[in-house]
Amino acid sequence: MTVRQLVADLYEIPLGHTSAYLWNEANNLTLVDTGVPGSSTAIAAALESLGHTKADLQHVFLTHWHVDHAGAAAELAEWENTELHAHSLDADVLEGKTPQVLPGLPSEEQALFDSLPDEVKQDTPTVAVDDRLEGGESFEIAGILDVYHMPGHTPGSISLHLTDPNVLLVGDTVANVGPDGPSAGVFNTDPQRLRESVKALARLWPAVLCPGHGEPITQNTADRLNALAGSLD
């Protein structure tokens, strides 16, 4: 596993099928997404490679409840100082109050889902959410971290905007896995709301976009995201 620096203090942690992102701010670390169950070992190794321990991890934000993004949240919740943040609509799923139900998929997406490894089809282990978000919150992290409710992939999907480096962390609202550049996410509960969320993200004109799947976008980012948004009309 190679931890990759994207901008000053922001690192990508590859976790196989997906990526987590770490904001390395002195001894106050913030992680976005956690990978599948068992990924806490790789995350701990990533922290150690940057000169930190598990006790330095303060905040864990979950972009949505799916197992490839929240599967190790229960493991990280056992660490000494972590506070878990998720949107209230997905927090109910994470806490086991709402069933983990995947949407019905069009045939081409069902074929893609069927081809995925079993580790991303298992249930997400239940975990207590410390901070239920609604969207519109701001945290004094990386200057200012703004929370945006971006439903569509799941009802409680969120994106995070690090305003000073102008970085967007988008979970599965946008992916970057194909030859044609960024695309709208798949396996969505509400495809129309997903398209509206992509358009809303484009209006933020990010310098860097960090998707859950695929390479982070660091060049011509805003133009490429706006081109995607325009193609969804």
Side-chain angles (χ1 to χ4, degrees), residues 113-212:
F113 182 81
D114 291 342
S115 72
L116 295 177
D118 289 341
E119 67 176 1
V120 302
K121 298 176 184 176
Q122 61 186 304
D123 284 344
T124 302
T126 58
V127 61
V129 174
D130 300 303
D131 180 29
R132 287 172 162 254
L133 304 168
E134 299 299 332
E137 296 87 354
S138 292
F139 296 81
E140 292 186 4
I141 298 171
I144 298 295
L145 182 151
D146 290 331
V147 179
Y148 290 90
H149 182 207
M150 292 292 166
H153 186 62
T154 66
S157 286
I158 61 171
S159 292
L160 305 171
H161 187 207
L162 301 170
T163 59
D164 187 17
N166 193 16
V167 173
L168 266 177
L169 303 112
V170 299
D172 280 357
T173 300
V174 176
N176 188 32
V177 296
D180 299 325
S183 59
V186 294
F187 311 146
N188 303 309
T189 59
D190 190 329
Q192 179 56 40
R193 295 194 77 183
L194 186 283
R195 289 189 287 271
E196 294 303 319
S197 289
V198 173
K199 294 175 185 178
L201 289 174
R203 291 192 288 270
L204 295 173
W205 286 88
V208 175
L209 186 140
C210 298

